[in-house]
């Protein structure tokens, strides 16, 4: 059977995504969702304080290796399924419509939750900057409304516009972290250039599971390499290249940047320093090694980093909704694309509306945007995306076992199996430490994990209604294959 490539889903202009984004553009979108400055300025100090201290850089590498091995099968699958649903489409293709829609429920929960979490952190950061420079203390939910409007406007436009905006912001935030890292390495730390951070013993010190959990959260969004496949130039080449580059770039960048912060304070002192000043740890290092003005610039770019992540997650959710509408699972209107921009504009508007409703619930409840909104939603997103990736890894193995469209053993069997083992290991670590992530409440942990289960079961319930007689894989035409390709595969 010959290898096939899925073209645009339909010939109908009203249901076809359009764009000319290349490898660099997709990498920008993926790395922007990872929000490098947010991970280094926000998540890293927490990992150092309550995780495994100086062993944090190794946690980033461990997660990167697991995702890189997983990406081998993921990239191989992208040759046969080009669909804005990405993980959802892959699980559907490998495990059938019912489990596929369960995966779609997890995907929508993951991106909705992580975006809500970022809104909480972004509004607090913006609020702090406004008051720092003499402005009034504006309620966080007002600032959230402004951010939703701007993100929604860009999401409504062509993906090429969003990629350009994210590209500029991403270059700035990577540059400012890179300059700080280089400066620390040039000047040296109080304990020299110790490489103990990369030793197994240091990695296993303290709460290694907590560090791994935050590291996973820092990679959320790398699925976007496949999400934008229909809007990419030459998706068969673009998606695999973008996937490998994104995972390697994010993993190496996080590992080196976090190691330089360890060097700045010293391996024996960094954990105590993080516990003493968690929020200001990285900014204090910037003020010490470069100057207070540089730390102020970093604070501003932290906001742009958060904004870039918001836009990236908005785009991902919009395209998931588009994919569901196109396959008849959701309202048909979700499958409409803008006649001029080629964007899933109905999905974009729907996503903006859902963000308003979700944040509105937290605002009406008087919840703290960081301690409650950010913490709860980031925890839910981490567990949800791991379960989703485990399902995808299984689907990839099953797909290539059933369809002899790729005879490369490493790409279709060995690497996907190793990736699955790694993902299961990481998922177990996260579940064992989940209660710690959401402030130690076992009851709250149970409720939030129930939300993850409900998202998956809700997808299964929808599948029973929309595909009552279907237990196997969905027909090829529902995943964008031509009739000839569908027949050759189904």
């Amino acid at each position: 059977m010959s290898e096939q490539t899925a073209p645009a889903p339909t010939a109908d202009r009203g249901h076809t995504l359009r764009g000319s984004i290349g490898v660099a553009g997709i990498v920008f979108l993926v790395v922007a969702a990872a929000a490098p400055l947010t991970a280094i300025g926000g998540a890293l100090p927490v990992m150092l304080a309550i995780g495994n201290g100086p062993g944090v850089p190794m946690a980033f590498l461990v997660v990167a290796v697991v995702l890189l091995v997983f990406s081998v099968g993921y990239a191989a699958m992208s040759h046969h399924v080009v669909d804005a649903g990405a993980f959802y489409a892959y699980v559907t293709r490998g495990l059938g419509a019912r489990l596929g829609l369960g995966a779609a429920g997890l995907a929508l929960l993951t991106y909705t939750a992580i975006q809500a979490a970022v809104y909480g952190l972004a509004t607090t950061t913006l609020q702090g900057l406004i008051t720092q420079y003499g402005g009034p203390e504006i309620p966080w939910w007002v600032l959230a409304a402004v951010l939703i409007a701007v993100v929604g406007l860009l999401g409504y436009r062509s993906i090429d516009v969003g990629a350009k905006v994210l590209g500029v912001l991403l270059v700035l935030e990577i540059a400012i972290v890179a300059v700080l890292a280089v400066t620390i390495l040039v000047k040296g730390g109080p304990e020299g250039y110790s490489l103990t951070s990369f030793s197994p013993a240091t990695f296993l010190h303290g709460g290694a599971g907590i560090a791994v959990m935050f590291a996973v959260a820092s990679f959320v969004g790398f699925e976007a390499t496949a999400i934008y496949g229909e809007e990419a130039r030459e998706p068969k080449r673009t998606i695999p290249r973008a996937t490998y580059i994104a995972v390697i770039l994010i993993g190496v960048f996080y590992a080196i940047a976090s190691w330089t912060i360890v060097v700045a304070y010293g391996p024996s002192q960094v954990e105590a320093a993080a516990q003493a000043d968690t929020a200001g740890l990285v900014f204090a290092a910037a003020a010490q090694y470069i100057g207070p003005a540089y730390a102020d610039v970093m604070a501003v770019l932290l906001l742009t980093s958060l904004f870039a992540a918001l836009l990236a997650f908005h785009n991902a959710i919009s395209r998931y909704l588009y994919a569901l509408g196109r396959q008849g699972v959701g309202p048909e209107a979700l499958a409409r694309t803008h006649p001029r921009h080629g964007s899933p504009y109905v999905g974009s508007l729907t996503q903006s509306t859902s963000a308003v409703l979700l944040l509105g619930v937290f605002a009406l409840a008087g919840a703290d945007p960081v301690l409650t909104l950010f913490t709860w939603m980031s925890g839910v997103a981490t567990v949800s995306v791991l379960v989703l990736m485990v399902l995808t890894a299984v689907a990839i193995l099953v797909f290539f076992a059933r369809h002899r469209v790729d005879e490369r053993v490493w790409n279709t069997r060995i690497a996907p199996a190793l990736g699955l083992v790694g993902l299961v290991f990481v998922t177990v670590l996260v579940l064992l430490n989940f209660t710690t992530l959401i402030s130690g409440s076992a009851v709250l942990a149970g409720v939030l994990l129930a939300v993850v289960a409900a998202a998956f079961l809700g997808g299964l319930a929808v599948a029973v209604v929309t595909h009552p007689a279907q237990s196997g894989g969905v027909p090829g035409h529902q995943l964008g294959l031509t009739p000839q390709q569908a027949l050759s595969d189904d």
Side-chain angles (χ1 to χ4, degrees), residues 133-271:
Y133 291 104
E137 188 168 336
I138 303 173
W140 72 267
W141 52 270
V142 174
L143 298 175
V146 174
L147 289 175
I148 290 173
V150 177
V151 168
L153 178 63
L154 288 174
Y156 187 88
R157 300 290 302 277
S158 166
I159 189 60
D160 298 314
V161 174
K164 290 174 183 176
V165 172
L166 291 179
V168 172
L169 297 179
L170 184 60
V171 168
L172 290 175
E173 65 175 292
I174 287 181
I176 200 165
V177 175
V179 169
L180 174 60
V182 171
T183 304
I184 292 173
L185 292 178
V186 169
K187 293 186 176 182
E191 298 177 24
Y193 302 98
S194 173
L195 293 175
T196 56
S197 290
F198 301 101
S199 70
T202 305
F203 168 66
L204 296 174
H205 158 78
I210 296 175
V212 168
M213 182 164 46
F214 276 97
V216 169
S218 299
F219 278 89
V220 169
F222 93 100
E223 173 198 12
T225 54
I227 286 178
Y228 300 112
E230 292 179 38
E231 297 158 277
R233 295 191 299 268
E234 299 182 85
K236 280 184 62 176
R237 295 182 179 180
T238 300
I239 295 173
R241 290 178 183 176
T243 301
Y244 295 136
I245 291 172
V247 173
I248 293 172
L249 179 61
I250 294 170
V252 172
F253 182 82
Y254 283 164
I256 294 177
S258 60
W259 175 62
T260 60
I261 298 300
V262 173
V263 169
Y265 289 92
S268 66
Q269 301 296 323
V270 69
E271 190 169 350

Side-chain angles (χ1 to χ4, degrees), residues 109-111 113-114 220 376-386 452:
L109 174 63
T110 295
Y111 288 114
I114 196 65
V220 169
W376 292 11
M377 292 297 98
S378 59
V380 167
T382 301
V383 173
S384 183
V385 76
L386 279 170
V452 176

